Structure formats: structure tokens, C-alpha cells
Amino acid sequence: MMKKVMLVTGGGDCPGLNAVIRSFVKRAHQENNYEVVGSIQSFNGILREPTEIKLLTSETVSGIHVLGGTIIGTTNKGGPFNWPVKKYDGTWETVDRSAEMIRKCQLLGIDAVVNIGGDGSQRISLKLFEQGLPIIGIPKTIDNDLAATDYTFGFQTAVQIATEALDKLVTTAASHNRLLIMEVMGRDGGWIALNCAIAGGAEACLIPEIPYDIQSVMKMLNERMKGGKGFAVIVIAEGAKPKDGTVSFEKRDEIGYENIKLSGAAVRLREELKNAGCDLDIRETVLGHLQRGGTPVAYDRILATQFGVKGFEMVKNEEFGKMVSYRHPNTISVPLEEAVKTRSISLDDNLIKTARGINICLGD
Ligand code: F6P
């Protein structure tokens, strides 16, 4: 009997999403009795009337492993539990359409759902599973902050992009005798920042895990300038905060967008350095969504391809309520309860020791 599987990609786009879709479809088609479809823009496609669901054929997925983004679109707004509805007075409220969506899946003959996303998406997977939907998760995020997997695809691409940007900024810093600050993504984790700072040889790296003391950064800069180096580069994670301070963020009034939009860490650091007496010319660069765009590096394509194949095996074996995970060197499955947990860099992580070992100032 034919079986139908629906893929969704949720949250921020991430290099490697298309490689997962391709490998899942390729593996499913080896079985001859599986049809794979994709709901456009996460669950919003199936919730819309008329539904926006795309058949994923061999032709549709051919060659897409090299493409950034996701061919079935993504969103971090809406979804089954927070569907925005405009009220008569013009304001918005969100409604829970999860039961209706699960019924719709049954009516459309969907036997399994695969939710490719980060912790927010897997929280949705868990709630839907608890309500009876046969669902599995596949972990995705450039932030690499999911506790239940060694790595997520997209992360190595983000680190590569950030490192190449840092290399370029070093040449400008050195030519102009400036201090250049580069802000990278990562939410509450410093994974992208610390990896890129080590790869690119930054003088300081400020991460959410170590609230920084501006005097410690000033001390490093003064010593470096005394030593004759007239320039420096600092990598700061978007979620970094000063000692006794908070993260820097902006309010977004996009309907249905519920995340905290981290923003302004680099600009704030420049001000703090100036106030502390830094007399270098300072420029800041915010890498932003450049870190999520474009073609995935080979590592991410390989990891994503492994995740797609493993995801299909889990669907075939009806291992619902679980997420694919990478525990070197294997792909395994873990309960969704574990999948929703995030992780920061532990202070005794070898990356922290390595950074200290090459005199990168961590602001403490
Ligand atoms: O989780 C991925 C990520 O890129 C974070 O690093 C960042 O904080 C956030 O998404 C940005 O989200 P948006 O694309 O909604 O601005």
C-alpha cells in the first residue's frame, strides 16, 4: 500500500535543508511505495486554504543538495499553535489550530510528518506528537545549539562564511590601523563566534557564555598596541552581554514573530570601548543573514544527507516521537523531549582552553 510522508522546514533557513530533502526523497523512492510531499513554509502550507503542498519527485529534488535555502520555503511565524487571526478592531490574536491540522493530515492520507528545524520547531513536533500525530524531527540550525546532537548541519557553513569575512576584515584593520569588530549570529550560544575567532585569529572573542568586562578587553588592546601592533579584530556573538548587563535586542512588530531579535552587540561594544578610553578608530560589521545564505560546505551536505537517510529509516520503522541525532560517528534517534534542549559552550570546553592557549581575550 502507498504511504505518504509530508516534510516541513521550519524556523530560519539553513544551508543543508535542501540536501536533507533530496536524500529523504531519494531513499524513500528506493522503496516503491512511498510518496513524499512538502508543506510550503512549514506547517502554514497545510493550514492554508487551499492547501499549499508540493509533490517532491525525483526531478524536483535533482541537484538541489548544492542550493542554499529550502525549496519548500520556511517561516518562523504562524504554525499550528500560533495561527495569527485579525480581530474586528484591527488587532491580532493567535489561535490554536493543531487539532484541525492533525485531522487535515488524516484526511489527506498523510501517514507521517518530518519536521526539519531547530529547538522551536521540535517543541512544535513534541506537542503534535503528544496529540497523536506520527511525527519525527530532523535537527537544523546554524547556531549548533541543540544538546541532543553533536552537530547540526548549516553550522560549518556559517563558521566558514564568518571566517572568510574575518580574514577580509583583518586586511582592512591592518592597513588602516583600526579596531574592527565583527558581530556574528548564534543566539544564546557562542559556537559560531568562538570557532570563527580561532580559525581567523581574532584578538578577542566575546560570547554569551562569558559576560565580558570591558576593562579586560581594554587591557588586551593596550598591551597589543604597546607591543607595536597597531590594529586588532574582535568577534562578538549577537547574544554577548557585559558583566551585570543584558543582551542587546530590538523589538520587532512583525505579526506572529515571537522570537527576541538580538541586535546591537557590536555597536554597544564600540561605545563601551570609547567610554573606557580606547583611542583606536573603530568600525563594526554585522554579518547577519549572510551566515545562513548560499551553498552549504561539503561537511554540511554530508551531514544533511545522512540526516535525510536516517530520517526515512525512522519513518519506515515508525519510530515516531523521536529526532535524528549525530553522535560521532553514527546517526541515532533520540526522544523529542531531549531534542528541545539547547546547549551553550561549557567553560571547560576544549575550544575555550584552545582560545585561551593562543591568547584570545575572552573578556573575563
Ligand atoms: O537560529 C538561527 C538564527 O540565524 C540566529 O542565529 C539568529 O539569532 C536568528 O536566527 C535570526 O532570526 P531572523 O532570521 O528571524 O532574524
Side-chain angles (χ1 to χ4, degrees), residues 55 92 109 113 115 148 153 157 191 232 241 249-250 328 339 348 363:
L55 180 64
W92 291 81
V113 175
N115 191 6
F153 63 85
T157 304
W191 298 99
K241 47 187 173 294
F249 65 96
E250 66 183 73
H328 182 76
D348 59 8

Side-chain angles (χ1 to χ4, degrees), residues 11-13 76 119 140-143 145 184-188 192 238 252 254 257 259-262 288-289 291-292:
D13 70 322
N76 37 28
D119 62 309
K140 161 251 54 160
T141 169
I142 62 161
D143 303 333
D145 62 351
V184 298
M185 284 184 165
R187 279 199 315 185
D188 306 323
I192 298 175
E238 62 179 357
R252 282 286 156 115
E254 297 166 6
Y257 187 89
N259 300 338
I260 288 181
K261 180 76 195 113
L262 294 170
H289 294 88
Q291 292 157 96
R292 291 198 333 221

